[in-house]
Every structure is written in structure tokens, then in C-alpha cells.
Amino acid sequence: MTPLNFEAELRQLLNTRLPAVNTAGCHFSPVQGLTGESWRIDGEGISMLARQQTAEKGALGVSRKREARLLRRCGTGLGPQVLAQSNHWIIVEWLTGKSVTNEGFDALNQCGELAAMAAGLHRRPLSGYRLNLQRQFVSYWQQLDKRRLTPAWLRCQQHFLRITPPTPLQLAPIHMDIHPGNLITSAAGLRLIDWEYAADGDVALDIAALFRSNDWASVQQQCFLQHYAQHGYPDEARLHAQVQCWLPWVDYLMLMWFEARWQQSGDAEFLHWGAVLRQRFC
């Protein structure tokens, strides 16, 4: 779909679902991200973000219907408000504030605010969408470049499909993509954006994803767990052990995501990011 078609479809959605918005004065601009384009909508007194459901995003496990459900049920005051929704789009408020830097992210961990935010999310009601990593592994496998597969990789895939995932310590809404680029400091406090991989799952899985995606050293992990125990799951030792159980699952998920994104985009940077994981597993 061309940009003009995007704009026409979004204007129609706004006119239908948000008739009070003057679409004639709105400006539409693309917002780039790792998984494709979203569209920022600016007009008189409004600033919104439109997020599209595409076949590529669906293949990566993204569901805008699920994302909207999580935001409405679990994200109030923590994520952006959902303003409109259709089969192909969700439109959410554009959160104003400052993006968190790597240094700021480390400071949020040190002071405990990051752990408090994560624990706050994990206390929200369940969305009804349970995360199934094994089903996602099957989907990713179908998208891989068959020329890159090895017998060791096949054995690894079979291993993860055969074994039983860790039994959740605490089932809760989990974001699965907490990193500096998805955090905004605002007058209302710390806000979390980009909920496209959020679902219901074990709190320890969300923490394992946080540790791996930010490449945290053990001292940073320990700091987070100490603060988290004050706000969330209280048994720090047991939580640490459960996070360790989930780390191989997170590593394999990251490898498969990088490979699938490379197939979709042709951007060799994804292969570079996944090279160490591929060497380990394959």
C-alpha cells in the first residue's frame, strides 16, 4: 500500500471512529522502527500514533488486536491510551516526554524505579492472551532461509518443541520488550510504549527478556531483582532461579526473531546482531 493509500485509510478510520477530529488539518508522517512503519498523526490540538497490522508483523507474532486489548486492560496510566481500532489499525495517543537514554536506563535500575514499574505492570489484570513461545518457534522456523539451517539447529528446534516450558511462578501481563527506546519520562511519570509483543506470561520470562535484550551484567541483574522483590515477587532467590530457567528460551527466541527479520527485510544488520546466538545454538 502506498503512503497516499495509508493516509486515505487512516483518514476514513478517524472520520468514522473519531468524528470530532478535524482530519483535513492533519499531517501524516512515517515513524521508522525495527519491525516496520507506523504513522504519526498531528493536527490542531492532537498528536496520535497509528500502528498497522500487516502480514509481516503477524508472522513475527504481532497482533494489533492483542496489543489494543493489553493497553486497554493492563496499560492504563502506564502505556498510551487506545483512541481507535479497526481490523488493520490501532490508533493510540502520542506520548510526550523525553526518551530514556542508556545512562538514564541504568539510573532507573539503580534507584529501583524500573523494577517498580515492571512490578506495577505485573500486578495488572490478565489480558486473556497467553504467550506461547513454542508456537512462535514453529512460525519463525517456517520463515527461515533453508540454506542457513544446520543439523544442530534442527536438533535445537526439536529440543525446544519437545520440552515443557518452565511452570510460571506468577502469571501476569508481560511486555517482553523493555529497553531504553521504549521508555519515556513525562510529567505523569515513567511511561512504557511499543506493546506489540505484550501478552500474559510468567513474570520471570519478562525479566529474562529485559536482562538479555539489554545485555545486562550480573551486578545489574542483581540490582533489579533486589528492587523487584520489594514491589513484586518477594522470593528473590526463587525468582533468580526461574529467570535462569527462562534465559535459554529468550536467547533462542531472539535468534529466531533476528533470522526472520533478516528474511523479511534483507538487512544484514539482523544477521550481525544474531551471529553470536547462531554460533551458540547452530
Side-chain angles (χ1 to χ4, degrees):
M1 188 180 293
T2 65
L4 287 178
N5 289 334
F6 280 133
E7 184 174 327
E9 186 174 342
L10 285 172
R11 287 186 187 276
Q12 182 178 9
L13 175 60
L14 289 172
N15 289 331
T16 303
R17 305 294 171 85
L18 297 173
V21 173
N22 177 20
T23 59
C26 287
H27 173 69
F28 297 76
S29 55
V31 179
Q32 296 293 333
L34 285 180
T35 53
E37 286 187 350
S38 296
W39 292 80
R40 180 168 177 173
I41 307 171
D42 290 299
E44 185 177 351
I46 62 165
S47 189
M48 300 177 286
L49 178 69
R51 298 167 65 80
Q52 187 188 27
Q53 179 70 46
T54 64
E56 283 189 345
K57 288 184 179 295
L60 293 172
V62 172
S63 165
R64 297 304 183 201
K65 179 180 179 181
R66 183 187 70 229
E67 183 179 354
R69 169 78 172 183
L70 263 293
L71 284 170
R72 286 192 171 106
R73 186 165 176 80
C74 318
T76 303
L78 184 58
Q81 179 186 357
V82 178
L83 302 174
Q85 182 180 358
S86 70
N87 290 333
H88 303 293
W89 296 91
I90 62 169
I91 298 178
V92 300
E93 64 174 325
W94 181 273
L95 294 178
T96 58
K98 293 183 179 180
S99 297
V100 172
T101 63
N102 291 334
E103 295 76 14
F105 193 68
D106 189 56
L108 289 170
N109 184 38
Q110 291 290 331
C111 73
E113 190 173 350
L114 184 64
M117 183 207 68
L121 169 62
H122 297 161
R123 289 193 299 269
R124 301 292 175 94
L126 296 174
S127 70
Y129 287 93
R130 181 73 178 269
L131 178 62
N132 187 325
L133 288 184
Q134 289 168 313
R135 183 169 58 198
Q136 197 58 49
F137 292 159
V138 172
S139 176
Y140 284 156
W141 184 265
Q142 296 168 349
Q143 302 172 59
L144 301 182
D145 183 346
K146 300 304 184 288
R147 296 169 297 179
R148 291 177 57 79
L149 299 181
T150 65
W153 198 345
L154 176 59
R155 289 193 297 270
C156 189
Q157 173 79 353
Q158 292 171 338
H159 167 75
F160 278 105
L161 297 183
R162 183 177 62 250
I163 64 174
T164 302
T167 302
L169 284 182
Q170 178 183 322
L171 198 60
I174 58 177
H175 186 271
M176 289 298 291
D177 198 18
I178 300 175
H179 62 81
N182 280 342
L183 285 172
I184 292 175
T185 56
S186 69
L190 198 59
R191 307 292 292 274
L192 187 58
I193 63 173
D194 202 354
W195 291 55
E196 62 185 9
Y197 292 108
D200 297 335
D202 187 10
V203 297
L205 172 58
D206 206 16
I207 295 171
L210 166 66
F211 289 175
R212 276 298 194 257
S213 62
N214 294 286
D215 196 24
W216 271 3
S218 58
V219 64
Q220 295 169 296
Q221 297 179 23
Q222 184 180 8
C223 177
F224 180 90
L225 292 174
Q226 288 174 347
H227 287 298
Y228 186 90
Q230 300 172 21
H231 302 279
Y233 194 82
D235 190 335
E236 183 184 338
R238 190 176 180 190
L239 180 60
H240 176 267
Q242 183 80 345
V243 169
Q244 297 305 306
C245 292
W246 278 117
L247 287 177
W249 293 80
V250 171
D251 288 341
Y252 192 59
L253 178 67
M254 291 173 65
L255 168 65
M256 298 290 271
W257 188 89
F258 286 136
E259 291 281 340
R261 281 297 292 133
W262 173 67
Q263 276 291 89
Q264 289 182 352
S265 67
D267 186 347
E269 193 72 13
F270 290 107
L271 295 185
H272 172 72
W273 289 331
V276 173
L277 292 171
R278 186 174 189 273
Q279 185 176 19
R280 170 184 162 191
F281 283 111
C282 310

